[in-house]
Amino acid sequence: MDQEKQKAITSLFEVVSSIERKWANEWNNHNALGFSKSHILILDYLSQEGPKRPSAIAERLKVTTGGVTVLTTKLINAGFIEKTQHATDRRASQLVITSEGESILKESRQQVSEIINNMFGMLTAEELQTLRTIFSKCLLDVESKRPE
């Protein structure tokens, strides 16, 4: 890799790290709900896709099933999701969002929208799409290089 490209990559790393910190700070400063981004992603996934097994959630979030257990326990205790028996496999459980979970998800989407507007509102729709395309491309490349 040439020196100019290496400098650009280092600079990009610094900018992305700063954005990540800013995003976390914005989330923490405006998060009246007390849930992490992962909690909201679980609620969103269950809302969009319907009941899911914990293993499917783990795969979607790229976390371990143990991590899903920790995350979903808080959501279950709050009454935002329920653990039910799988419709066709009685040995398996699945998680389903409750009406309270749908309500809190709607509220959290408003908070996320405010944070995103604070961070990226100065960009045009085209710039946002380009940014998304670039980040998606990077993620796909990283995923393809992971050993199975």
Side-chain angles (χ1 to χ4, degrees), residues 6 10-11 27 32 38 45 50 59 65 71 74 77 82 91 100 103-104 110 119 134-135 139 146 148:
Q6 184 60 45
T10 300
S11 176
W27 179 261
S38 296
Y45 183 46
E59 187 176 316
T65 53
L71 290 165
K74 185 172 182 176
N77 290 341
E82 293 177 341
R91 298 166 295 163
E100 293 87 359
S103 294
I104 207 77
Q110 291 172 338
M119 291 186 63
I134 291 168
F135 284 146
L139 284 174
R146 281 203 178 127
E148 294 294 318

Side-chain angles (χ1 to χ4, degrees), residues 18 20 22 27 29 48 50 57 78 82 86 91 100-101 104 110-111 126 130 136:
S18 294
E20 183 181 27
K22 182 177 179 184
W27 179 261
N29 291 334
Q48 298 294 323
I57 295 170
E82 293 177 341
H86 192 276
R91 298 166 295 163
E100 293 87 359
I104 207 77
Q110 291 172 338
Q111 288 181 6
E126 185 178 323
T130 300
S136 295

Side-chain angles (χ1 to χ4, degrees), residues 4-53:
E4 189 173 328
K5 186 172 181 179
Q6 184 60 45
K7 278 178 145 176
I9 288 173
T10 300
S11 176
L12 177 63
F13 178 77
E14 291 169 1
V15 169
V16 169
S17 295
S18 294
I19 288 173
E20 183 181 27
R21 278 190 306 276
K22 182 177 179 184
W23 192 299
N25 288 337
E26 287 288 318
W27 179 261
N28 292 333
N29 291 334
H30 296 94
N31 181 9
L33 304 174
F35 289 102
S36 71
K37 291 177 280 191
S38 296
H39 289 113
I40 304 307
L41 289 172
I42 290 171
L43 291 174
D44 188 60
Y45 183 46
L46 294 175
S47 178
Q48 298 294 323
E49 304 284 330
K52 292 291 175 199
R53 295 182 63 174

